[in-house]
Amino acid sequence: MPAPDLDRFDRAILAILQRDARTPQRVIGEAVALSAPAVQRRIRRLEEAGVIRANVAVVEPALVDRGLTIIVEVELDSERADRIDAAKRAFLAAPEVQQCWYVTGEADFVLVVLVATMADYEALTRRLFFADANIRKFRSLVAMDRVKTGLAVPIDP
Amino acid sequence: MPAPDLDRFDRAILAILQRDARTPQRVIGEAVALSAPAVQRRIRRLEEAGVIRANVAVVEPALVDRGLTIIVEVELDSERADRIDAAKRAFLAAPEVQQCWYVTGEADFVLVVLVATMADYEALTRRLFFADANIRKFRSLVAMDRVKTGLAVPIDP
DNA sequence: AATGAAATGAGAGCGCG
DNA sequence: CGCGCTCTCATTTCATT
């Protein structure tokens, strides 16, 4: 799966699909000066190459009882590979953990957690952090405003 | 836009669409024991209610020359409302900033930044942080492993 | 090799009972 | 809410550059 070289058509198509994946290929074609079948072939290639990983619905958390977003920095005691993997698996398995990165620097993990209430978050920390003896400490940053969310990857033209 | 009460059908539909928004309504219908038109009406309602905000293509950053993910914690000097708004606008306008939350706690903002190289990140910090006199300090956490990414909102059944 | 025009087929979007 | 129709859009074919 090598990085395929994308021309300006591919880039333009990606930019559009990241905003609205339902844009008709005919409309995309008009925007990028290509026929609908040409657009279709390019999209197919981008999917096969793994550049387009999925097409997903974006859900508003507040409307499905997940109004609270909390960013969590987690610091481990031991940085042994098997310990790290265990933590990864635990975070991966927790549905409340929307995103998780393993990072360098002053923390080991950064999580984005979605819950309904602080009580739920407290319960989650008990289950996820206090239950694991290898977690030295964690720091919670409560989101007051979701200034920008999304998965859009900048595409330079 | 009040929180609409979602029944188990709506929840099941949302769970499916968050994994693959292209799933045919007929297939969704089979999965949740509903006819395709019923599924369609529910999806439409969910869109009108704002529960489904968009349908977007998920792009693999590494394959479009954005292989470096960095989490940034930003701390402001002044927490005056107009200063905060100015920072929000600046982060919002920067395409490299994929996500941005305004948070309580030891930091004021948490950003998810996507760049190609460390040199690019350095240039971005110059433009975004050092140029703004109101930014007291920032802390960069470089992602070594994207354990979990996505926007999936947990839906309890 | 990739494109565009035209034909085909699948799926979404309707009104109906 | 389900059934069946219509119509848009995705997909394939094929000739062309």
Side-chain angles (χ1 to χ4, degrees), chain A residues 1-4 6 11 14 17-22 43 47 49-66 69 71 73 88-89 91-107 109-110 112 114 139-156, chain B residues 1-4 6 11 14 17-22 43 47 49-66 69 71 73 88-89 91-107 109-110 112 114 139-156:
Chain A
M1 202 187 322
L6 311 174
R11 294 176 196 280
L14 284 175
L17 291 180
Q18 284 192 105
R19 282 196 285 105
D20 182 7
R22 292 246 173 115
I43 292 176
E47 284 168 347
V51 176
I52 297 177
R53 282 172 46 188
N55 290 279
V56 300
V58 179
V59 171
E60 174 61 45
L63 297 183
V64 294
D65 217 35
R66 283 291 194 282
T69 301
I71 320 294
E73 281 183 32
K88 282 187 188 180
R89 275 195 300 275
F91 299 148
L92 205 48
E96 298 92 338
V97 177
Q98 186 193 48
Q99 305 179 51
C100 171
W101 296 271
Y102 176 52
V103 298
T104 66
E106 304 177 40
F109 289 95
V110 175
V112 176
L114 297 184
R139 200 157 73 120
S140 308
L141 305 173
V142 178
M144 294 190 292
D145 185 10
R146 290 169 18 219
V147 179
K148 194 184 209 174
T149 54
L151 293 179
V153 180
I155 311 280
D156 22 46
Chain B
M1 204 185 318
L6 311 173
R11 294 176 195 280
L14 284 175
L17 291 181
Q18 284 192 107
R19 282 195 285 103
D20 182 7
R22 292 245 176 117
I43 292 176
E47 283 170 348
V51 176
I52 297 176
R53 282 173 43 188
N55 290 279
V56 301
V58 179
V59 171
E60 173 62 43
L63 296 183
V64 293
D65 216 35
R66 283 293 193 282
T69 301
I71 320 293
E73 282 182 31
K88 282 187 188 180
R89 276 195 299 277
F91 299 149
L92 205 48
E96 299 93 338
V97 177
Q98 186 194 51
Q99 304 178 52
C100 170
W101 296 270
Y102 177 52
V103 299
T104 67
E106 304 178 42
F109 289 95
V110 176
V112 176
L114 297 183
R139 203 157 72 121
S140 308
L141 305 173
V142 178
M144 293 191 291
D145 186 10
R146 290 173 14 222
V147 179
K148 194 184 209 174
T149 54
L151 293 179
V153 180
I155 312 280
D156 20 50

